[in-house]
Amino acid sequence: MDKYAHIIDLPHHVSKVRPQMTMYQRAAQFAPFAALTGHSAAISEMARLTDKQIELSECECEMLNQRVTLLLAHLNEHPYVSITYFIPDPYKDGGRYTTHSGTIKSWDEFEQKIIFDDDTQIKANEIIEIRGTLFDSVTF
């Protein structure tokens, strides 16, 4: 104690130039350093599962092409259909399958897309199944 006896009773120094830090700011100086920022997000992304895109057989492709042709022939009737299609994942290999049901509004010839009344757009090369009452009376 003798080593610091000359300063032990001195008043606490308060700067005239810098404002005093709040308790929150002082505590932040001693917060743990996160050296692996984003590591847990990367682990979660790797753990997220995706489906592989199904490769249709020639027979299945032919049947699907016939259904699309029939659908386009009746486009002016705005048929109600359910289409199952593949959505590629933007971050990793694979994607997911989803089914959208609704009334067909139009066909984009240039981009080969089916456009629904609710403006959902589905690329023809991502479709794996089309269902609707339009196809009930037709055998492929």
Side-chain angles (χ1 to χ4, degrees):
M1 265 322 252
D2 293 334
K3 190 174 183 182
Y4 301 105
H6 66 285
I7 62 168
I8 199 75
D9 292 323
L10 291 178
H12 177 71
H13 173 72
V14 178
S15 174
K16 295 176 186 171
V17 180
R18 294 188 176 89
Q20 208 167 5
M21 294 173 74
T22 65
M23 291 299 272
Y24 179 78
Q25 291 169 327
R26 288 178 56 89
Q29 288 183 334
F30 302 102
F33 173 69
L36 299 175
T37 303
H39 181 69
S40 62
I43 298 267
S44 297
E45 176 62 24
M46 286 300 293
R48 187 172 55 86
L49 298 176
T50 58
D51 296 325
K52 283 188 103 170
Q53 188 167 11
I54 297 170
E55 292 291 328
L56 299 176
S57 68
E58 276 189 45
C59 181
E60 291 169 325
C61 282
E62 182 61 33
M63 189 184 324
L64 190 59
N65 285 340
Q66 289 174 358
R67 286 180 176 244
V68 169
T69 302
L70 183 62
L71 183 65
L72 294 178
H74 293 274
L75 198 59
N76 58 345
E77 299 168 19
H78 301 285
Y80 185 88
V81 295
S82 292
I83 298 179
T84 302
Y85 63 103
F86 183 75
I87 301 173
D89 192 289
Y91 303 109
K92 58 197 289 187
D93 286 342
R96 64 184 171 90
Y97 283 94
T98 190
T99 300
H100 184 78
S101 299
T103 305
I104 302 293
K105 178 169 69 173
S106 64
W107 166 254
D108 184 336
E109 184 69 36
F110 181 71
E111 293 196 27
Q112 301 287 300
K113 289 182 181 179
I114 293 174
I115 303 169
F116 285 83
D117 278 345
D118 64 358
D119 289 328
T120 300
Q121 299 181 8
I122 301 174
K123 292 182 180 180
N125 64 345
E126 295 172 347
I127 297 172
I128 63 162
E129 184 179 42
I130 302 174
R131 291 186 183 197
T133 56
L134 178 66
F135 309 111
D136 291 345
S137 60
V138 180
T139 55
F140 296 102

